[in-house]
Amino acid sequence: MTTNLPVDLFDLGHMAYRDALDWQQTKAAEVGAEISADALALLEHPPVYTMGARGGDDHMLLTRDDLRARGADLIMTDRGGDITFHGPGQLVLYAILNLRRRALRPVDHVRCLEHTILDTLDAFDVRGRTVKGRPGVWIGPNKIGAIGVSIRGGVSMHGAALNVTNDLAWFNAIVPCGIHGLGVTSVAREIGSAPPMGEVQDAAASAFAEAYDVDVHVAKPVPAPVCGY
């Protein structure tokens, strides 16, 4: 079974969550039909809360109307995990991979995503860690990188989100990832500042290539709806 097939890298810029979900679904269908290479998308979202398959309204501390009044929607999604927040200054990585072709188990995929975040942080002298039973990357009791994936027909969607410079106050409206008593942090909070997002993207692409032992090639830009803020 071939495991070292290259991955196309897409910089999707600032994209609304629903538009990015449409992009993922289209790409996943192409990858599953083996008419397209596996893909890694790097992007930022305007403010949005997403509820994973294990989520419930008990982990929302405000009503949906309150969230909308603050300028953020709540979207149900099929990824694993509970409720989380995406917003400007957070780097999102969507990995559309044919795991069967790569002989990767779901747990292997999650570990590779965690290592991608860990190595991205290492590039800026930020030391994260993983915690058994709690997918993601942590610094002390605070999560800095969230993981949430879905797998259908052996093809993965969704992926990881790394807090770089995003406003962490948005997380006060929820119980992040459904875990009580723990917090969130960011690169900017940990070291007092943060590198430009372009540098973080470059570090993440390199870390992904290392974690999955693949070559990552920049794909041609594709027209995509862009949501400014």
Side-chain angles (χ1 to χ4, degrees):
M1 184 175 292
T2 302
T3 60
N4 60 349
L5 296 168
V7 173
D8 286 342
L9 174 65
F10 294 86
D11 180 353
L12 299 185
H14 297 153
M15 183 179 286
Y17 188 85
R18 286 190 175 90
D19 294 330
L21 184 58
D22 288 344
W23 183 90
Q24 288 190 79
Q25 291 169 340
T26 298
K27 182 60 65 175
E30 294 172 352
V31 168
E34 300 189 11
I35 60 175
S36 175
D38 289 0
L40 170 66
L42 303 179
L43 64 155
E44 296 174 65
H45 290 306
V48 62
Y49 294 92
T50 65
M51 186 78 76
R54 292 193 296 105
D57 287 351
D58 54 327
H59 293 151
M60 294 170 51
L61 305 181
L62 296 176
T63 67
R64 294 174 188 237
D65 288 342
D66 288 336
L67 297 181
R68 293 190 184 97
R70 294 187 177 199
D73 201 358
L74 174 66
I75 298 176
M76 310 305 292
T77 181
D78 65 346
R79 63 162 173 77
D82 207 289
I83 190 169
T84 194
F85 172 79
H86 299 301
Q90 182 192 69
L91 178 61
V92 177
L93 300 85
Y94 290 139
I96 315 301
L97 307 176
N98 189 323
L99 300 182
R100 289 177 182 169
R101 228 174 8 179
R102 294 182 181 278
L104 284 173
R105 299 172 301 165
V107 66
D108 298 327
H109 178 43
V110 171
R111 297 291 89 81
C112 285
L113 286 171
E114 290 175 334
H115 282 293
T116 296
I117 297 300
L118 287 168
D119 290 348
T120 301
L121 291 171
D122 281 346
F124 303 104
D125 296 321
V126 179
R127 304 294 176 235
R129 66 188 178 99
T130 57
V131 178
K132 186 175 180 180
R134 294 178 181 168
V137 174
W138 303 78
I139 295 179
N142 300 317
K143 180 176 280 191
I144 194 169
I147 307 290
V149 305
S150 70
I151 301 170
R152 292 187 178 181
V155 177
S156 69
M157 284 178 45
H158 305 284
L162 172 62
N163 297 332
V164 182
T165 62
N166 44 309
D167 181 357
L168 300 178
W170 286 98
F171 287 95
N172 293 337
I174 61 174
V175 178
C177 302
I179 303 175
H180 291 272
L182 300 175
V184 292
T185 189
S186 67
V187 174
R189 174 172 287 185
E190 292 300 318
I191 61 177
S193 63
M197 186 61 80
E199 292 183 18
V200 181
Q201 287 182 318
D202 290 343
S206 296
F208 181 91
E210 180 72 20
Y212 286 86
D213 190 23
V214 297
D215 291 325
V216 174
H217 304 300
V218 177
K220 293 180 180 180
V222 292
V226 175
C227 182
Y229 42 82

